[in-house]
């Protein structure tokens, strides 16, 4: 098994019914990732339709005319935002280490999109170019959920994010996934 040098914790916050709803609850300036969930006209189930990253504020990106055009096809749409738990990794605009920060975000996005594209029930609405190849290196992502005001952790993953595992690992062409992480011991009491 290859050495794993890339391990990231992603904090997911949401869901938001619109970008206005997002503005009311959270400052997204330190968020790098976004997920759009919903369903297409011919689908019964709600699921992930798009995963993206942005160096600009997410609300601006989601309100771009080209992005809004793509979103028109999605019914019952909701938005989730995500950020690296290490805050220094989030700002993709800063000049220092800008290429490395962007590369981290691209790697996480690539892993998530590729993993989701391999599931049989996924319709081809995900970022097409990242569905065709595997990530270039071994990587582990731990996903952590928070409520939309980011004031408290979620211990049960929301149904709309069910396809993003709590732990996702890609090594040597293989995808490993684990869900239902739970507290085994609480020593805070």
């Amino acid at each position: 098994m290859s050495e794993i040098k890339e391990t990231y914790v992603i904090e997911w916050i949401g869901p938001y019914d619109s970008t206005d709803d997002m503005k009311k609850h959270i400052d997204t300036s330190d968020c790098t990732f976004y997920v759009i969930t919903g369903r297409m006209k011919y689908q019964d189930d709600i699921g992930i339709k798009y995963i993206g990253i942005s160096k600009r504020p997410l609300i601006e990106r989601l309100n771009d005319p080209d992005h809004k055009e793509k979103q028109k096809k999605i019914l019952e749409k909701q938005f989730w935002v995500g950020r690296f738990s290490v805050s220094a990794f989030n700002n993709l605009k800063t000049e220092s280490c800008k290429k490395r920060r962007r590369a981290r975000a691209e790697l996480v996005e690539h892993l998530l999109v590729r993993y989701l594209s391999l599931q049989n029930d996924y319709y081809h609405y995900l970022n097409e170019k990242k569905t065709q190849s595997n990530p270039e290196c071994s990587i582990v992502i731990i996903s952590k959920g928070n409520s939309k005001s980011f004031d408290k952790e979620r211990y049960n993953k929301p149904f709309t994010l069910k396809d993003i595992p709590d732990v996702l690992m890609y090594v040597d062409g293989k995808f490993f996934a684990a869900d239902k992480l739970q507290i085994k011991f609480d020593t805070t009491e």
Side-chain angles (χ1 to χ4, degrees), residues 67-91:
H67 217 293
K68 280 202 143 320
E69 188 62 33
K70 289 178 190 174
Q71 293 175 35
K72 283 182 182 177
K73 300 175 186 172
I74 304 172
L75 305 173
E76 299 177 51
K77 144 179 75 207
Q78 289 189 312
F79 303 94
W80 294 79
V81 295
R83 63 185 183 191
F84 288 105
S85 64
V86 176
S87 59
F89 294 171
N90 286 309
N91 190 346

Side-chain angles (χ1 to χ4, degrees), residues 106-118 127-137 139 170 173 175:
E106 291 274 355
L107 184 60
V108 168
E109 177 192 32
H110 192 161
L111 175 64
L112 290 169
V113 169
R114 179 64 173 151
Y115 174 77
L116 292 171
S117 74
L118 292 171
N127 329 33
E128 290 292 327
K129 62 186 172 191
K130 292 186 178 162
T131 63
Q132 305 303 314
S133 64
N134 291 333
E136 294 177 6
C137 64
I139 176 175
Y170 171 77
F175 291 84

Side-chain angles (χ1 to χ4, degrees), residues 154-158:
R154 288 183 189 268
Y155 292 104
N156 296 317
K157 187 185 331 181

Side-chain angles (χ1 to χ4, degrees), residues 2-145:
S2 297
E3 184 177 16
I4 300 170
K5 294 184 178 177
E6 307 286 340
T7 302
Y8 304 106
V9 175
I10 308 299
E11 299 171 340
W12 295 104
I13 309 141
Y16 302 99
D17 294 323
S18 65
T19 53
D20 290 335
D21 185 28
M22 205 181 292
K23 280 182 201 175
K24 281 187 233 171
H25 287 93
I26 187 172
D27 173 15
T28 61
S29 61
D30 65 344
C31 295
T32 303
F33 305 95
Y34 61 95
V35 172
I36 303 173
T37 63
R39 67 177 183 83
M40 305 308 254
K41 183 170 49 174
Y42 50 85
Q43 293 176 311
D44 294 328
D45 294 335
I46 291 175
I48 295 170
K49 296 295 166 244
Y50 195 85
I51 294 177
I53 59 175
S54 181
K55 63 183 173 188
R56 294 183 305 147
L58 294 180
I59 291 171
E60 277 181 35
R61 176 68 183 126
L62 291 166
N63 285 323
D64 277 350
D66 67 317
H67 217 293
K68 280 202 143 320
E69 188 62 33
K70 289 178 190 174
Q71 293 175 35
K72 283 182 182 177
K73 300 175 186 172
I74 304 172
L75 305 173
E76 299 177 51
K77 144 179 75 207
Q78 289 189 312
F79 303 94
W80 294 79
V81 295
R83 63 185 183 191
F84 288 105
S85 64
V86 176
S87 59
F89 294 171
N90 286 309
N91 190 346
L92 301 182
K93 290 184 290 191
T94 344
E95 286 307 314
S96 67
C97 306
K98 182 163 78 172
K99 283 185 180 174
R100 180 70 187 122
R101 287 181 184 161
R102 180 72 185 193
R104 272 187 205 107
E106 291 274 355
L107 184 60
V108 168
E109 177 192 32
H110 192 161
L111 175 64
L112 290 169
V113 169
R114 179 64 173 151
Y115 174 77
L116 292 171
S117 74
L118 292 171
Q119 295 184 35
N120 290 335
D121 57 345
Y122 261 85
Y123 299 89
H124 300 287
Y125 192 69
L126 293 166
N127 329 33
E128 290 292 327
K129 62 186 172 191
K130 292 186 178 162
T131 63
Q132 305 303 314
S133 64
N134 291 333
E136 294 177 6
C137 64
S138 298
I139 176 175
V140 175
I141 300 171
I142 301 167
S143 290
K144 177 181 176 241

